[in-house]
Amino acid sequence: MADITRRPGWRHLRSTPTAHIRHHRGGKLVHDGQGLSFWFRPLTAALSEVPVGDRELTMAFHARTADHQNVSVQATVTYRVADPALAAARLDFSIDPDTGTWRGAPLEQLGTLLTETAQQHALDVLARMPLSDVPADGIATVRDRIAAGLGTEPRLPATGIEVVAVRVMAVRPEAEVERALRTPARELIQQEADRATYERRAVAVERERAIAENELASQIELARREEQLVEQRGANARREAEEGAAADKVRTRAEAERTVELAEAEAARSVTLARAEAQAAREVGQARAEAQTAWLRAHADVDVAILHALTGTRLAENLPHIDSVTISPDVLTGLLARLGGEGGGGAGGGGARG
């Protein structure tokens, strides 16, 4: 929409680059072009604004197939005004000089023209197509037919309209019919999925079997090696036992021989010691006997009083050291009486021997 600035008796128009402005004054074309900006008098000016940029027209309609099934079509047509002068001559693109808005609805007229033309060609092609072909070929077929029909439609070039592109987003049957059509495909997909699942399970079972066989083979090999190890350990233990027994036998024999030798040497030493001790005992006994005999022989002819004196001396030698001796009269009297008795008896005995 053009931007109109109002001044007393004057107006200023400023358009966009995608808008084609045609200004007539007194039946003559004064301004003609895109993105114009100019002053004009509202009472003498006739203005029209034709959009020349690409515009998209979205349409949705229903059609019927060859087997009398309803389908819905969603499409978009991109178009543009290729000849603004021709479009302005055929359609009412005039604008209000005070507000810059269209006085009519030219874009709605273009939309109606394009929609009716596109629907005519889409209905025609779908009426010759069975419903079973719609999901696979419907979109491409309808798109090509609409594009070809709009390209050959004489009213569009006569209005200055050029179709840029045609897009068909969907050609769908009713919901119940669509579910019915999906069922075989869904069943086929489910069967393929089940088959893939079964194959995957079979592969997994085969791999598990191979793994189990490998584990079993590994366990068998391990058991065989353990058996060899046990046998080798047993052989080593027997060899060690035999060698230990032989060593113990040799050691026992050596210890026995050494014990016998030690016993013999101890016995010989004991015999020698016993003989020596016996010889010494005999010699000591003989020496004691000879000394006793000599002692007795030496004292045989000695007077008894001398012997008593010697006995007292010997006794005195063996007594502990005495600093002083106190003799009471009673002890002295008894001692003298004993000495007198022993002397008389000795004298008497001597007189009797004489």
Side-chain angles (χ1 to χ4, degrees), residues 84-348:
L86 185 59
R90 298 295 300 271
L91 298 175
D92 185 11
F93 283 97
S94 62
I95 61 175
D96 190 329
D98 291 329
T99 61
T101 59
W102 281 311
R103 289 174 173 170
L107 295 181
E108 294 181 2
Q109 296 177 3
L110 286 178
T112 301
L113 174 62
L114 291 172
T115 301
E116 291 179 352
T117 305
Q119 286 182 2
Q120 178 181 356
H121 294 288
L123 293 175
D124 183 64
V125 71
L126 288 173
R128 295 180 175 84
M129 181 181 296
L131 182 62
S132 58
D133 295 340
V134 169
D137 302 329
I139 292 178
T141 303
V142 172
R143 182 187 65 240
D144 296 340
R145 182 60 181 272
I146 291 176
L150 292 178
T152 59
E153 177 63 34
R155 293 179 58 189
L156 297 180
T159 315
I161 305 302
E162 179 183 355
V163 176
V164 178
V166 176
R167 298 190 303 277
V168 177
M169 279 70 72
V171 179
R172 302 180 59 178
E174 294 180 351
E176 296 179 357
V177 178
E178 187 175 6
R179 284 194 296 268
L181 293 174
R182 289 178 180 176
T183 300
R186 185 181 296 110
E187 293 294 334
L188 182 60
I189 294 173
Q190 186 63 38
Q191 291 176 4
E192 291 295 328
D194 294 340
R195 184 179 60 82
T197 301
Y198 296 150
E199 291 179 355
R200 185 169 61 252
R201 289 179 180 177
V203 172
V205 170
E206 182 65 22
R207 290 180 179 176
E208 291 178 358
R209 184 186 62 79
I211 293 173
E213 290 180 354
N214 293 334
E215 292 179 353
L216 181 60
S218 300
Q219 293 178 359
I220 293 174
E221 180 64 21
L222 182 60
R224 186 180 63 80
R225 293 186 179 182
E226 288 180 353
E227 183 180 0
Q228 294 178 355
L229 180 60
V230 171
E231 292 178 356
Q232 186 64 35
R233 287 178 177 176
N236 294 338
R238 287 193 298 272
R239 188 178 301 110
E240 291 178 359
E242 292 175 355
E243 292 178 357
D248 292 340
K249 185 176 180 181
V250 173
R251 185 168 55 254
T252 303
R253 184 181 300 168
E255 290 179 355
E257 292 177 355
R258 185 167 60 254
T259 302
V260 170
E261 293 177 357
L262 291 176
E264 290 178 353
E266 185 67 24
R269 187 170 65 251
S270 299
V271 170
T272 303
L273 182 58
R275 290 177 180 176
E277 290 178 353
Q279 183 65 27
R282 285 195 298 271
E283 292 178 355
V284 170
Q286 290 178 1
R288 289 180 178 177
E290 290 177 357
Q292 188 68 25
T293 302
W295 187 81
L296 292 175
R297 189 182 298 116
H299 292 78
D301 296 335
V302 178
D303 187 53
V304 177
I306 296 173
L307 292 176
H308 288 170
L310 291 174
T311 301
T313 302
R314 182 63 57 83
L315 179 61
E317 292 176 354
N318 292 326
L319 291 175
H321 179 70
I322 300 174
D323 293 334
S324 63
V325 177
T326 302
I327 300 175
S328 64
D330 295 335
V331 175
L332 181 59
T333 301
L335 181 59
L336 293 177
R338 179 183 281 179
L339 291 177
E342 290 178 358

